[in-house]
Amino acid sequence: MTQTILLTGFEPFGGEAINPSWEIARALHGEVIAGARVHAVQLPCVFGQALVALRAALRETSPGLVLALGQAGGRCDLSIERVAINVDDARIADNAGAQPVDLAVVPDGPAAYFSTLPIKAMVAGLRAEGLPASVSQTAGTFVCNHVFYGLQHQLAGSGVRSGFMHIPYLPAQAARLPGQPSLPLATLVQGTRLALELAWQTEIDLRLAGGEIS
């Protein structure tokens, strides 16, 4: 039976007409990467509702690996996040007009969760192919971090590896914002495909080492 990789992206927000995270996810929907099929889901850029949609996608797909994507204007590479913190603190309102300040993503939850993806191996693999990538130490405190924290909380102890990657603007977005870095969609799709391949291949290797696959 073919395993599923769940890949999420967000709807546009902050006055933008497009969100590169969703453009990447839908471009990869249905692809088979290292034997696993990618299933893409769009999340609303809304506190709370994003986690409802995420939990539904997890139930429906029972994935073997999850990578959530989000737009991060000002970044110049594929930023693979290390840690999600239990804080919602919005500089701007979400798409439903909510702007929480200093609230917990999960009341009484841990202060933080780390990614369970092989983040340094993913960055090294991307750079080896000439793709700009880095490990990021902060996912912010907007809906991206909200989803990253909620994802790690939901899957804690499940054995399913998961994490978050931030994406820079597309050139069409950066053209309206002088001085902002961007990457073409084709490059972002290529990089995300490789990131998934590296993460899933690591999972396969670990399962083989543990005798889960014969």
Side-chain angles (χ1 to χ4, degrees):
M1 182 171 135
T2 303
Q3 288 269 12
T4 297
I5 295 173
L6 177 60
L7 181 64
T8 71
F10 283 103
E11 67 183 354
F13 71 96
E16 295 289 335
I18 194 169
N19 189 318
S21 68
W22 174 240
E23 297 307 311
I24 295 164
R26 72 175 182 175
L28 291 172
H29 179 69
E31 278 200 21
V32 175
I33 296 175
R37 188 173 302 279
V38 176
H39 183 88
V41 171
Q42 187 184 71
L43 303 179
C45 190
V46 178
F47 289 100
Q49 291 182 27
L51 294 186
V52 171
L54 175 63
R55 286 192 289 267
L58 291 169
R59 286 195 304 270
E60 291 166 9
T61 62
S62 299
L65 185 85
V66 185
L67 179 62
L69 304 176
Q71 171 188 300
R75 301 207 190 185
C76 59
D77 62 5
L78 299 168
S79 300
I80 303 177
E81 299 296 343
R82 184 192 295 272
V83 60
I85 61 173
N86 194 10
V87 177
D88 289 335
D89 191 25
R91 180 180 57 83
I92 62 172
D94 69 10
N95 283 356
Q99 193 171 356
V101 175
D102 294 337
L103 297 181
V105 180
V106 177
D108 300 320
Y113 283 106
F114 287 100
S115 174
T116 53
L117 298 177
I119 59 175
K120 288 194 173 180
M122 292 165 70
V123 167
L126 287 163
R127 288 178 175 174
E129 293 299 317
L131 295 162
S134 65
V135 172
S136 169
Q137 312 301 340
T138 175
T141 52
F142 195 52
V143 186
C144 286
N145 175 77
H146 182 81
V147 163
F148 184 17
Y149 185 94
L151 173 64
Q152 303 310 102
H153 184 76
Q154 184 75 20
L155 294 179
S158 70
V160 178
R161 294 179 182 274
S162 56
F164 197 98
M165 184 164 73
H166 265 120
I167 304 297
Y169 284 138
L170 293 170
Q173 294 174 290
R176 298 185 295 99
L177 302 163
Q180 291 292 325
S182 66
L183 286 172
L185 180 59
T187 301
L188 295 174
V189 170
Q190 177 192 4
T192 303
R193 181 187 292 114
L194 179 55
L196 291 174
E197 181 180 347
L198 291 162
W200 184 241
Q201 189 58 55
T202 297
E203 179 65 15
I204 291 172
D205 293 344
L206 289 170
R207 292 187 186 189
L208 285 169
E212 297 178 42
I213 302 174
S214 59

